[in-house]
Amino acid sequence: MWNSHGLQQYIGITTFVVFVLTYRQLYMTAGTSHFSYWLSLQMLCVLIFTLILDPNMFFLGFFTANFIGWYSDKRVFRFFLFIFAFIQTIPIAIIITFNQLNTERLLFFIPFYLIMLVSPYGIKTMLDRQQLEAELDEAHQHIKELIKREERMRIARDLHDTMGHTLSLITLKSELVAKLIAKNPERAIQEAREIERTSRAALREVRQLVSDMRAISITEALADAKETLKSAEIELRLTGKQESYADVPDLTQNMASLCILESVTNIVKHSKATLGIIQLERLPDGIRIMVQDNGIGMNSNQHHGNGLKGMSERLDLIDGSFQISSGSKGTRVVIFFPLIASEPQGGLSL
């Protein structure tokens, strides 16, 4: 270019300036509608360089090939790759036609020509992968936010289920103390001490809920249910085979236990019952728990309360389910959650 004279030198310098400008503008306009205009202009510069100045300027096409790979739209990518291949073929065809290169020199150009046409695919694949990784990072951040939100909801449910049960027990015992102060002071003092122990236990539960999910076993839940119903002067009848649930995972036991406690709390609060029945039955594909009372039944608003909604959400986590039937002779809640057999070691295990 610098060794040329006259018009050829003028064209070469002008084309070089335009080529540098297009190179800068392609970086500045990436992702906009102007990108295609600058890319077209750069392809034209490469063609002018090759035809007017020096056939070796053909290799500037590697810069253009890189920018073609930036297109995310497959149709636009293929269109510009086709135009680029056509433009880069012109100088080779002219060289062959006018025999400006010998066979050895021509064979030197063809491999680079093929690499030039393939390289946009590599660039596009790399950029698509980078974009996918960026989207995955964004998705991970979104998932983290969803986990945090779910954790807040879980703590709220735990506070409602566990603390609701405990506060109901404290309320019942407080009412009992008020009745016993005049009739049986010693019994009143004993119940007051029970209230103190229960409140301290409630404080520990709150601390555990804030730090982590409190795991309650089915056996512990039955013991708590017995104490709650006893304080409300409701008889508890446990039916079914009493056995160990050590093969049931902690999470599954915790979800089922909170459902039992929620059902018992509803009996105390709403049923006006004198009898509560809890039946546990191990089936071939899972465990069935029935909680029943002989009270006045549930109204329509209770069927859609937060407690029952929390039970449904908890059982969904362990692929369980529950059904409620209510009438003038009381309410029945049937809870079921599956167990998956792994090894036959005297029972089912998860």
Side-chain angles (χ1 to χ4, degrees), residues 107-345:
L107 291 176
F108 174 77
F109 268 73
I110 289 178
F112 288 100
Y113 169 75
L114 296 176
I115 293 172
M116 200 178 294
L117 297 183
V118 173
S119 61
Y121 288 98
I123 298 297
K124 187 177 187 308
T125 301
M126 181 185 69
L127 294 178
D128 288 346
R129 181 176 179 179
Q130 290 177 352
Q131 182 180 0
L132 179 60
E133 289 175 351
E135 291 175 353
L136 286 175
D137 289 339
E138 184 179 353
H140 287 157
Q141 291 298 324
H142 185 59
I143 290 171
K144 287 180 181 178
E145 291 299 321
L146 291 177
I147 291 174
K148 289 179 181 178
R149 189 182 306 172
E150 177 62 26
E151 185 67 9
R152 295 189 193 103
M153 294 178 62
R154 179 191 67 79
I155 292 175
R157 289 193 298 265
D158 283 347
L159 286 172
H160 177 273
D161 295 345
T162 304
M163 295 306 300
H165 159 73
T166 304
L167 292 175
S168 297
L169 178 60
I170 291 175
T171 301
L172 290 170
K173 285 185 174 291
S174 299
E175 293 174 352
L176 183 60
V177 168
K179 294 177 182 179
L180 292 174
I181 287 177
K183 297 179 181 179
N184 192 342
E186 293 183 1
R187 174 77 185 280
I189 293 172
Q190 181 181 354
E191 292 295 337
R193 289 172 180 169
E194 286 289 334
I195 292 175
E196 180 185 359
R197 283 195 293 269
T198 302
S199 62
R200 292 184 183 277
L203 181 60
R204 289 194 301 270
E205 288 173 0
V206 170
R207 290 170 178 168
Q208 287 176 318
L209 286 172
V210 171
S211 61
D212 195 6
M213 180 181 285
R214 177 177 178 265
I216 306 174
S217 68
I218 293 177
T219 303
E220 291 173 336
L222 293 176
D224 288 348
K226 182 177 181 180
E227 182 66 23
T228 300
L229 293 175
K230 180 181 176 182
S231 299
E233 298 181 350
I234 299 175
E235 179 187 353
L236 173 63
R237 186 181 301 167
L238 289 174
T239 63
K241 184 179 179 181
Q242 303 300 310
E243 55 184 285
S244 171
Y245 295 94
D247 59 326
V248 181
D250 291 340
L251 176 62
T252 303
Q253 286 209 51
N254 189 57
M255 298 296 103
S257 298
L258 291 175
C259 290
I260 293 174
L261 293 178
E262 176 63 28
S263 300
V264 170
T265 300
N266 288 336
I267 292 175
V268 172
K269 286 183 177 180
H270 310 293
S271 71
K272 297 182 180 180
T274 58
L275 174 65
I277 301 173
I278 300 179
Q279 181 184 54
L280 291 92
E281 182 181 5
R282 188 184 286 265
L283 303 175
D285 56 344
I287 292 178
R288 177 180 176 272
I289 302 173
M290 183 194 73
V291 182
Q292 185 175 0
D293 64 70
N294 64 346
I296 60 175
M298 299 174 64
N299 58 48
S300 58
N301 292 331
Q302 287 173 261
H303 278 283
H304 302 282
N306 290 329
L308 298 180
K309 183 179 179 181
M311 288 175 60
S312 177
E313 292 174 350
R314 290 180 182 282
L315 289 170
D316 284 342
L317 293 175
I318 56 176
D319 295 327
S321 62
F322 81 107
Q323 295 178 341
I324 298 178
S325 58
S326 183
S328 58
K329 295 183 179 180
T331 302
R332 173 184 295 182
V333 178
V334 178
I335 301 165
F336 173 81
F337 56 91
L339 292 177
I340 301 174
S342 56
E343 293 183 3
Q345 295 180 351

